[in-house]
Amino acid sequence: MTRRTARGGGLVALAVAVGLVLAGCSGGDAAGAAAATPEPSSAVELPDGVELTEAGAEVALGKPATVGYPVGEAASAITVTVSSVKPGKIADLAGYVLDPVSATSTPYYVGVQVRNDGPDPLGGAAVPVYGFDSTPAYFPPTTFRGEPYKRCAGGALPKAFEPGATWKGCFVLLVPKGATLQSVQVRTSDLASPVSWPVG
């Protein structure tokens, strides 16, 4: 996992490597993906009737937020709803060999729904959700390679994700020992600052 620190409301683009690799006894493993650096400009031509949530806004769990999401040559507005955030136990990952940092972490299961508001298809794109903890740092969900983690599989958007399509999924956020999960965030290159769903 790559973790990025945030201080005084700003972002420090210094990546601190944390060895989060789950080597699967059952044939799976997991590793984090790098976070994108937010930019203030909008690259999305919004369809009629679509309004973006203000950058930096805080949204209650279960409520939607709409953000611009440029992906390569495609760009669409997406509406993201973080429906649930539930803590688990590291024993839940007993089928995997964990490195020392991961072995003392707490997993959180994050339920997410995404709708493509258009205008472009976003098939196969990553879902731009991140955790933000008390250290403070933001970090991507754990992604499972090989055999998926059936309880909370994560993954990208479907290969065909046309305007109007919706997708529901679950992501695992591993929060290190001594830290607490503060929020789930959406971070895209179209946002000057992330949209957050506070936890607790």
Side-chain angles (χ1 to χ4, degrees):
M1 176 188 295
T2 298
R3 301 177 66 82
R4 293 174 184 259
T5 58
R7 303 182 187 279
L11 299 178
V12 180
L14 175 64
V16 180
V18 176
L20 175 55
V21 177
L22 313 184
C25 294
S26 57
D29 61 23
T37 301
E39 298 173 356
S41 61
S42 176
V44 178
E45 294 183 10
L46 297 179
D48 291 342
V50 175
E51 295 185 4
L52 299 182
T53 301
E54 184 179 356
E58 291 189 349
V59 184
L61 288 178
K63 299 296 184 181
T66 301
V67 300
Y69 190 23
V71 183
E73 296 184 359
S76 271
I78 58 172
T79 294
V80 179
T81 304
V82 177
S83 57
S84 62
V85 180
K86 299 178 180 179
K89 298 180 180 179
I90 200 61
D92 298 343
L93 300 176
Y96 296 86
V97 177
L98 278 66
D99 64 75
V101 173
S102 303
T104 58
S105 298
T106 300
Y108 284 80
Y109 302 107
V110 179
V112 175
Q113 178 173 305
V114 182
R115 182 181 71 233
N116 184 355
D117 294 321
D120 293 341
L122 295 173
V127 180
V129 296
Y130 296 80
F132 182 79
D133 68 24
S134 57
T135 57
Y138 68 90
F139 53 94
T142 297
T143 56
F144 293 85
R145 295 192 295 265
E147 183 177 326
Y149 181 47
K150 294 181 180 179
R151 177 169 177 171
C152 190
L157 295 172
K159 291 183 178 180
F161 198 63
E162 300 290 331
T166 60
W167 175 89
K168 288 184 178 181
C170 179
F171 293 93
V172 178
L173 297 175
L174 277 181
V175 178
K177 183 179 181 180
T180 56
L181 184 65
Q182 301 293 295
S183 64
V184 177
Q185 299 182 333
V186 165
R187 291 174 172 267
T188 76
S189 61
D190 203 58
L191 283 169
S193 55
V195 174
S196 300
W197 287 259
V199 176

